[in-house]
Every structure is written in structure tokens, then in C-alpha cells.
Amino acid sequence: MFKYLVALAAAAVLVTPALARIEAFPGTFHTQMVQTNGTSLFVRIGGKGPAVILLHGFGDTGDMWAPLATVLVKDHTVIVPDLRGMGLSAHPESGYTKKNQALDIAGVMDALQVKRADLVTHDIGNMVGYAVAAQYPQRITRWAAIDAPLPGIGNWESILRSPLLWHFNFRGPDEERLVQGRERIYLDRFYNELSADPKTIDTETRDHYAALYAKPHAMHDAFEQFGAFSQDATDNKALLAQGGKLTMPVLGVGGEKSFGTGMADELRFVADHVGSEIVPHSGHWIMEENPQATVKIVTEFLAK
């Protein structure tokens, strides 16, 4: 059983890095809406050199990656989408299986004329990332996956039984009415309970994401990401059975007070060459809680 199932429940308070804040992407980045797979994604693009794609998860948007993008842009082409139905991307009524969202990302690569890329993912971004790597293994050179499991893979059924994950099945019209106008309260629950120390996620950060998730259809579509997990589990089992394990280098990164080494353990069910790293003094929200350590871990992996 993963350390996060007990460590987060204990709400340990540690000596932590400086408070996180929302950072702007460097001025060398530009943004555009990319038409892909029947929808359009808001994408931040900057730099030159080998391509790297950064995928966010729930409670964040692509904005979370600014500290990492600032470093990578010096020698990479950095591509940072908001996932379907999240952030500033379009809000289609359907298509939230991760297998389908992988087609979104492949379409972004096509539109930007990127044949191959490294992949860095967090939370739901891990699930989309696996679907990308499994369906397009020749297009992904290496993959760093951070602090979230893959539906249907490894210890998924045990993970689902954690009381911390009640929100996986929290969706529907009444649930949306309960959250409407209270998005900040709802998101605070995740920032507080899934972090090593809630104080590392400041008011500016919380307000920033609450405003984005309060946009029309945003919370509905976030719930749809979770609602697709059952189909995602079926799809992932089929992708693994059909294609076998991934052969590119993979890094499992866990927050010290979240998945820890369990992230790499999960990835070994789907990949042959898996390394492991831990973000110290951090729970689930690695870029908000300890961006310096996360940037160091990811950049060193991509430089190998």
C-alpha cells in the first residue's frame, strides 16, 4: 500500500520551501488555439530544440509548469497545452477518455510539425500521457510521470478504496449545483488534504485556479475527466495487452508525502525501463510545494 494513503491522512507538517506563487511564462512564449481531434486546445509554445510536452492535471492548468518551462525553454521547444475542457481550452460535451485525449495531443504535435517529443505529466496528465506513449510509442522519446496512478493498472483497485479519493465518483447535476459559486472551497479541500503543508499553496495560487475552474462548463468537464476512469481502465488494459510494455526511458516521480517510490512501482506494470525519484517536502502538488526540486529532477532526467 502506498505511503500516501497513510501519510496524507496524518497531515504531517514539515519544514518546507518558500511559498509558491503563480509565475508567468517567459516572454519568448506565445499562445495559440490549436484545432485537434474535433476540439481546440489552448497551447503555450516557446523555445527551440528537442520538443518536450508538459501535461497538467486536476486542480491545475498548464500554468503550473511555468517554473519548469522557464528552464527548459533555454534548449527545448516547450509545448504546454491545457487539456480538453480545462483551463482556456474548449469545452466539448464528450471525448474525456484518456485514450481519446491522447489523440488531442497527437494532433497538437501534428499541427506544430513535431515528430517526436519528451513527455512530462502530472495527475490526470499521467493518464493522458500513458495513452499517448502507448498509442504512439515511436513519437515519445522519454516520459516523466508525476504522482498519480493509471486507471486499471497495477494497484488501481486498492487505490480506489482510499477514502481520500471519494471525489472520483463525485459528479452529476446536483453535485455541480453544490460546487457552483464555491469552486474555491471545493479546490481548497484538495490543496489542503493532498499537500504536505497547506501553507505552501498561497492565496494567489488558489484564487487563480478557482477563477479558471469557475468558468462556464469548467467544473462539469473536470468531473467528466473522473467519470471516464472506468472506460480508461478498460482501455489501458487493452493497450498494455496489445502493445506490451513501453520501451522508452520512464521516470516515476512521487511526492515524499504522497506516492513516494510507489509512483515508479506503478509504472513498472506498463514500462520496462523505469527510474524513481522523490520530491522532498512535498505532497501531491509538486510544482506548488517544491518547484525547485521538481525542476531539478525533471531537467536531469531529460538531459540524460
Side-chain angles (χ1 to χ4, degrees):
M1 185 61 64
F2 299 114
K3 290 187 293 183
Y4 87 104
L5 295 179
V6 292
L8 285 179
V13 176
L14 305 174
V15 177
T16 56
L19 288 177
R21 60 184 178 85
I22 294 294
E23 293 187 17
F25 277 72
T28 54
F29 275 75
H30 69 278
T31 63
Q32 66 185 79
M33 295 297 291
V34 176
Q35 303 299 313
T36 173
N37 191 29
T39 188
S40 55
L41 300 190
F42 178 80
V43 184
R44 308 154 188 83
I45 307 152
K48 294 182 179 179
V52 57
I53 300 170
L54 314 180
L55 300 181
H56 68 92
F58 174 71
D60 286 305
T61 68
D63 291 341
M64 69 173 281
W65 295 116
L68 178 59
T70 298
V71 175
L72 290 177
V73 75
K74 298 173 184 176
D75 53 9
H76 286 79
T77 298
V78 184
I79 302 165
V80 189
D82 285 347
L83 295 178
R84 170 184 292 243
M86 303 177 85
L88 298 180
S89 289
H91 295 270
E93 288 298 320
S94 61
Y96 291 93
T97 66
K98 311 313 172 286
K99 185 178 178 180
N100 184 65
Q101 290 188 74
L103 305 186
D104 295 351
I105 304 306
V108 169
M109 295 176 71
D110 291 341
L112 301 179
Q113 299 182 334
V114 171
K115 293 182 179 180
R116 292 166 62 86
D118 293 334
L119 192 59
V120 180
T121 62
H122 178 249
D123 191 75
I124 286 174
N126 287 357
M127 305 173 189
V128 178
Y130 173 64
V132 174
Q135 292 181 93
Y136 304 98
Q138 73 284 0
R139 303 191 72 173
I140 301 302
T141 49
R142 60 184 61 236
W143 174 32
I146 306 173
D147 215 75
L150 302 178
I153 298 298
N155 295 294
W156 176 251
E157 294 302 323
S158 296
I159 292 169
L160 285 179
R161 290 195 286 272
S162 169
L164 290 171
L165 303 181
W166 58 264
H167 59 282
F168 281 9
N169 290 308
F170 183 83
R171 60 185 180 276
D174 292 331
E175 288 80 356
E176 290 178 33
R177 288 196 302 121
L178 284 170
V179 173
Q180 186 174 7
R182 304 176 181 89
E183 291 82 7
R184 168 66 191 273
I185 296 172
Y186 187 69
L187 291 174
D188 274 345
R189 178 263 163 180
F190 299 97
Y191 301 143
N192 293 341
E193 292 189 16
L194 302 183
S195 60
D197 181 356
K199 293 192 295 292
T200 59
I201 307 174
D202 65 7
T203 297
E204 177 190 355
T205 299
R206 294 165 185 253
D207 287 345
H208 175 81
Y209 289 120
L212 288 168
Y213 280 86
K215 289 181 174 294
H217 304 293
M219 196 61 79
H220 169 83
D221 294 340
F223 291 159
E224 290 297 295
Q225 298 279 1
F226 298 116
F229 280 0
S230 179
Q231 184 59 50
D232 295 336
T234 299
D235 290 342
N236 286 345
K237 292 175 182 177
L239 288 171
L240 181 58
Q242 293 164 7
K245 290 187 176 183
L246 304 175
T247 59
M248 77 281 290
V250 174
L251 182 66
V253 182
E256 181 183 10
K257 294 300 177 179
S258 188
F259 263 80
T261 58
M263 189 64 241
D265 293 338
E266 288 299 290
L267 291 171
R268 291 188 180 103
F269 288 102
V270 298
D272 282 329
H273 308 290
V274 180
S276 180
E277 292 285 353
I278 294 176
V279 180
H281 311 308
S282 181
H284 177 67
W285 307 101
I286 45 87
M287 288 303 298
E288 287 79 22
E289 298 183 71
N290 197 343
Q292 297 88 353
T294 307
V295 169
K296 183 175 185 293
I297 288 168
V298 171
T299 54
E300 289 181 354
F301 171 67
L302 297 184
K304 290 180 180 178

